[in-house]
Amino acid sequence: MQISNEKCKHKMPKCYKIVILGCKKVGKTAIIEQLVHGHHKIGSSLHPTIEDIYEVLIENEQNVKEKVRIFDTAGLEESGTSELSKHVPIADGFILVYSIASKLTLDVVENVKKEIEKKGKECPLVVLGTKTDLLEQRECDYKSAMKWAETEKVKLYEICVGDRQALKEPLVWLVSRMGCQTGKGYLTTGKSDVKKFLSKKRAGSSKSLAKENSVSD
């Protein structure tokens, strides 16, 4: 495919790459589907993911739309490190996911965090503890998890996948932090971090996965 000289004169916009990692059945795909489509139903059937890529434009507080590519990955095994070699190099940021109903899944996240650091990768990440609708099945102590996050200097949220508004804040925080690292200075704090999600589509597809609309704060 040829690219015209006219197009080459213009610098292509930055596309941030976020890799989402975690064990099987912790809700990685559900998180993305809820963010992109907004119609995930709690309790719906879970299907194993090999790898999917989603693209979304996020409008920041400066009214600039940031292009983000989210890599949905297969569930990690207990070691949590076998697939990292191919995912870590491409990432500008990470979302690490565990289930509050499984201590093992949090152990894997902690191990993955260590392995990312060992590989010399310095980029922002957020940790999401899912399934807060199953509090009676909780295995991960909230205070202990938050203490670990504070020690490791990572942002940790406990969320329910059914609450789309709650899901938006950590992703926007992550994108804002990535923008800050590249010198854009978009880092903000507080509830105002919840931005608008626009123009949802899956990468590599010419078909829109959802109607183009805006999600109010």
Side-chain angles (χ1 to χ4, degrees), residues 181-212:
Q181 281 204 337
T182 57
K184 290 187 175 182
Y186 292 156
L187 181 61
T188 56
T189 57
K191 293 183 179 179
S192 61
D193 282 343
V194 181
K195 311 295 193 303
K196 298 176 181 178
F197 284 68
L198 306 171
S199 306
K200 296 87 176 177
K201 66 178 181 178
R202 180 169 292 177
S205 173
S206 60
K207 296 182 180 180
S208 173
L209 292 183
K211 294 180 180 179
E212 294 191 2

Side-chain angles (χ1 to χ4, degrees), residues 16-27:
Y16 294 113
K17 300 177 182 67
I18 295 175
V19 175
I20 183 167
L21 298 166
C23 291
K24 299 175 181 178
K25 299 182 180 180
V26 294

Side-chain angles (χ1 to χ4, degrees), residues 129-212:
T130 61
K131 303 189 180 182
T132 56
D133 54 310
L134 302 177
L135 290 177
E136 70 281 359
Q137 299 179 29
R138 178 188 283 277
E139 291 185 5
C140 301
D141 180 69
Y142 175 75
K143 291 183 178 179
S144 297
M146 292 303 294
K147 184 176 181 180
W148 168 79
E150 182 178 353
T151 300
E152 295 295 321
K153 298 181 180 179
V154 300
K155 200 82 167 176
L156 186 150
Y157 300 80
E158 284 195 350
I159 51 92
C160 173
V161 175
D163 186 349
R164 191 184 188 201
Q165 193 71 13
L167 288 174
K168 285 159 53 178
E169 183 176 349
L171 185 56
V172 170
W173 183 91
L174 181 60
V175 173
S176 297
R177 181 66 70 175
M178 290 189 292
C180 187
Q181 281 204 337
T182 57
K184 290 187 175 182
Y186 292 156
L187 181 61
T188 56
T189 57
K191 293 183 179 179
S192 61
D193 282 343
V194 181
K195 311 295 193 303
K196 298 176 181 178
F197 284 68
L198 306 171
S199 306
K200 296 87 176 177
K201 66 178 181 178
R202 180 169 292 177
S205 173
S206 60
K207 296 182 180 180
S208 173
L209 292 183
K211 294 180 180 179
E212 294 191 2

Side-chain angles (χ1 to χ4, degrees), residues 79-166:
S79 65
T81 61
S82 59
E83 296 294 315
L84 291 184
S85 59
K86 70 177 182 179
H87 295 308
V88 170
I90 68 170
D92 298 309
F94 294 94
I95 300 175
L96 307 185
V97 185
Y98 70 96
S99 165
I100 69 163
S102 171
K103 181 62 168 61
L104 173 62
T105 63
L106 177 56
D107 292 340
V108 169
V109 161
E110 293 177 358
N111 192 32
V112 168
K113 168 69 165 49
K114 292 178 182 177
E115 291 300 318
I116 290 173
E117 291 176 341
K118 286 181 181 178
K119 294 181 182 297
K121 189 73 172 184
E122 295 184 4
C123 59
L125 63 84
V126 294
V127 178
L128 301 182
T130 61
K131 303 189 180 182
T132 56
D133 54 310
L134 302 177
L135 290 177
E136 70 281 359
Q137 299 179 29
R138 178 188 283 277
E139 291 185 5
C140 301
D141 180 69
Y142 175 75
K143 291 183 178 179
S144 297
M146 292 303 294
K147 184 176 181 180
W148 168 79
E150 182 178 353
T151 300
E152 295 295 321
K153 298 181 180 179
V154 300
K155 200 82 167 176
L156 186 150
Y157 300 80
E158 284 195 350
I159 51 92
C160 173
V161 175
D163 186 349
R164 191 184 188 201
Q165 193 71 13

